[in-house]
């Protein structure tokens, strides 16, 4: 009887092991099936993105090519259509970031930047703006409309509005070559403008409105606060500064030891940066809500801590080039 009992127990144990092994194989097959389906879905999304992106890019290129030899009204209409399509293409790219590789993301962004540059060149050639003088709000301020350059402008004390455009699709204004001053622009001055701040040292800047784009270049020891930017913020060669702004997209290059208080509806991107830290946007001013409405940004969508580092591709390991500002160290009082 004991031998029979032991035999039955052994058979039962073997049966249990076989059932567990069978169940494990079923579960493993299901996981492989799900992974394959997920991969297929991602591939389908990527295929759709590339096909759509190629079609839209060709449409924009056709519009821009049609400006050659055309009358001013025709050029104006085509540039307006191209501007709207480029903004839509940028939004399409932002919405597709979750399934694109960083390489594909970068290449697509380069294509959009080339389209923007081409549009700007055509606008400058066919629709040059008239120069005009204006009375500055402060003696220290000046309005600039010039492309970003690694070489400082030759006349730092001159007021200028030189009708050129950089990486954008509309007019541009800002401040350049300033030291140890406080600078301000109003909503009327900023509305739908491309704003350029360049070669500023130890300055405090308040941009109380909603510009189209914001470009920061060669910034040292500054505090720059800006209202909602309807499209992109580009930061380059910035150090030891504090920045605060809402925007749709943030691209940061060659920046060190800088705090960024941001509301961004896509994923922020850094490249060749070190010691950059992020926190949610906390600056406020009386017309902030109105400017959010003007910008079209989604106030309920903020990816302030979703940062892609193009110099750090190690999966599963955080980039050492950026950090989150601890809550206890975040700035909440922005008064002068």
């Amino acid at each position: 009887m004991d031998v029979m009992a032991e035999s039955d127990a052994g058979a039962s144990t073997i049966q249990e092991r076989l059932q567990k092994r069978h169940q494990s194989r079923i579960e493993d097959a299901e996981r492989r099936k799900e992974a394959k389906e997920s991969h297929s879905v991602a591939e389908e999304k990527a295929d759709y993105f590339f096909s759509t992106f190629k079609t839209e890019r060709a449409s924009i290129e056709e519009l821009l090519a049609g400006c050659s030899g055309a009358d001013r009204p025709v050029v104006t209409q085509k540039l307006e259509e191209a501007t709207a399509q480029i903004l839509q293409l940028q939004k399409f790219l932002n919405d597709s970031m979750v399934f694109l590789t960083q390489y594909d993301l970068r290449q697509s962004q380069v294509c959009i930047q080339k389209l923007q540059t081409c549009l700007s060149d055509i606008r400058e050639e066919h629709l040059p703006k008239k120069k005009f003088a204006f009375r500055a709000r402060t003696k220290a301020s000046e309005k600039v409309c010039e492309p970003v350059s690694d070489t400082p402008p030759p006349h730092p004390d001159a007021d200028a509005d030189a009708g050129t455009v950089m990486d954008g699709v509309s007019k541009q204004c800002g401040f350049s070559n300033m030291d140890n001053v406080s600078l301000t622009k109003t909503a009327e001055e900023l509305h739908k403008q491309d704003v350029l701040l360049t070669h500023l040292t130890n300055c405090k800047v308040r941009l109380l409105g909603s510009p189209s784009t914001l470009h920061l270049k060669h910034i040292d020891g500054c505090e720059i606060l800006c209202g909602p930017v309807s499209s992109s913020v580009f930061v380059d060669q910035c150090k030891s500064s504090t920045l605060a702004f809402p925007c749709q997209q943030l691209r940061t290059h060659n920046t060190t030891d800088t705090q960024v208080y941001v509301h961004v509806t896509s994923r922020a991107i850094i490249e060749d940066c070190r010691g950059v830290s992020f926190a949610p946007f906390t600056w406020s001013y009386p017309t902030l809500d109105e400017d959010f409405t003007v910008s079209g940004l989604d106030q309920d969508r903020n990816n302030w801590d979703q940062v892609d580092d193009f110099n750090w591709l190690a999966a599963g390991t955080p980039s050492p080039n950026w950090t989150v500002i601890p809550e206890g160290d975040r700035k909440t009082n922005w008064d002068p």
Side-chain angles (χ1 to χ4, degrees):
M1 293 294 293
D2 291 340
V3 173
M4 293 180 62
E6 289 178 1
S7 177
D8 292 342
S12 177
T13 301
I14 293 173
Q15 184 67 24
E16 289 177 2
R17 284 204 300 266
L18 290 174
Q19 288 178 346
K20 288 181 179 179
R21 185 179 301 173
H22 179 64
Q23 184 63 32
S24 176
R25 288 174 177 172
I26 292 176
E27 292 174 356
D28 187 51
E30 287 294 328
R31 283 194 294 268
R32 288 198 300 269
K33 180 181 177 181
E34 291 175 1
K36 183 177 180 181
E37 290 175 350
S38 177
H39 183 68
S40 298
V41 170
E43 286 184 338
E44 289 175 4
K45 288 182 178 180
D47 289 344
Y48 172 76
F49 169 82
F50 292 126
S51 174
T52 304
F53 190 93
K54 181 179 180 180
T55 300
E56 294 302 315
R57 183 182 66 182
S59 175
I60 295 169
E61 290 172 343
E62 183 178 354
L63 280 172
L64 297 176
C67 294
S68 178
D71 296 334
R72 184 183 179 92
V74 175
V75 172
T76 300
Q77 180 181 357
K78 288 184 178 296
L79 290 184
E80 288 178 354
E81 293 177 10
T83 296
Q85 289 190 26
I86 288 175
L87 290 175
Q88 286 298 318
L89 190 60
Q90 181 67 69
K91 185 177 184 303
F92 179 57
L93 174 59
N94 293 342
D95 293 341
S96 305
M97 284 182 176
V98 292
F99 56 82
L100 291 177
T101 66
Q102 291 195 351
Y103 173 81
D104 291 334
L105 176 60
R106 178 185 289 185
Q107 294 300 108
S108 300
Q109 188 62 51
V110 167
C111 288
I112 292 177
Q113 288 175 346
K114 287 181 179 179
L115 291 172
Q116 290 175 329
T117 299
C118 182
L119 185 147
S120 299
D121 291 343
I122 294 173
R123 186 190 297 276
E124 182 181 352
E125 178 182 355
H126 294 276
L127 305 174
K129 304 181 189 69
K130 295 180 180 180
K131 295 183 180 180
F132 67 93
F134 70 99
R135 186 174 181 179
R137 289 173 55 82
T138 67
K139 292 182 180 179
S141 66
E142 65 177 17
K143 190 171 184 177
V144 295
C145 290
E146 56 186 27
V148 162
S149 171
D150 291 333
T151 304
H155 301 294
D157 296 326
D159 291 337
D161 186 8
T164 57
V165 188
M166 171 202 65
D167 286 339
V169 294
S170 59
K171 295 186 292 182
Q172 190 178 82
C173 68
F175 302 105
S176 70
N177 293 280
M178 305 278 184
D179 295 338
N180 299 292
V181 292
S182 294
L183 306 165
T184 302
K185 283 196 176 292
T186 64
E188 291 75 16
E189 294 173 295
L190 297 169
H191 184 61
K192 293 186 178 180
Q193 295 273 17
D194 281 350
V195 177
L196 169 63
L197 306 180
T198 179
H199 294 93
L200 302 182
T201 302
N202 297 325
C203 294
K204 286 194 173 185
V205 183
R206 300 292 189 269
L207 304 176
L208 303 165
S210 177
S212 175
T213 61
L214 175 63
H215 304 265
L216 310 179
K217 191 172 180 71
H218 294 293
I219 305 297
D220 185 2
C222 294
E223 182 180 88
I224 298 175
L225 313 181
C226 181
V229 180
S230 59
S231 57
S232 301
V233 175
F234 301 93
V235 181
D236 191 17
Q237 300 288 346
C238 179
K239 63 180 180 179
S240 304
S241 296
T242 300
L243 315 175
F245 41 71
C247 60
Q248 182 186 80
Q249 182 183 28
L250 171 62
R251 297 291 299 269
T252 305
H253 301 271
N254 307 301
T255 293
T256 58
D257 303 323
T258 292
Q259 292 189 338
V260 184
Y261 291 79
V262 65
H263 180 111
V264 59
T265 57
S266 64
R267 295 176 68 93
I269 295 171
I270 65 172
E271 188 171 20
D272 299 322
C273 294
R274 176 177 52 80
V276 180
S277 53
F278 292 86
F281 178 77
T282 56
W283 181 49
S284 183
Y285 57 95
T287 60
L288 176 61
D289 288 340
E290 297 173 20
D291 291 333
F292 257 112
T293 301
V294 170
S295 71
L297 297 178
D298 185 352
Q299 287 186 261
D300 297 325
R301 182 181 180 185
N302 187 7
N303 298 318
W304 66 272
D305 59 349
Q306 302 299 306
V307 181
D308 292 326
D309 184 355
F310 278 179
N311 295 111
W312 188 258
L313 304 180
T317 305
S319 165
N321 298 317
W322 72 274
T323 58
V324 170
I325 303 174
E327 287 191 26
D329 297 335
R330 294 175 188 172
K331 189 166 183 177
T332 56
N333 183 8
W334 299 93
D335 293 335

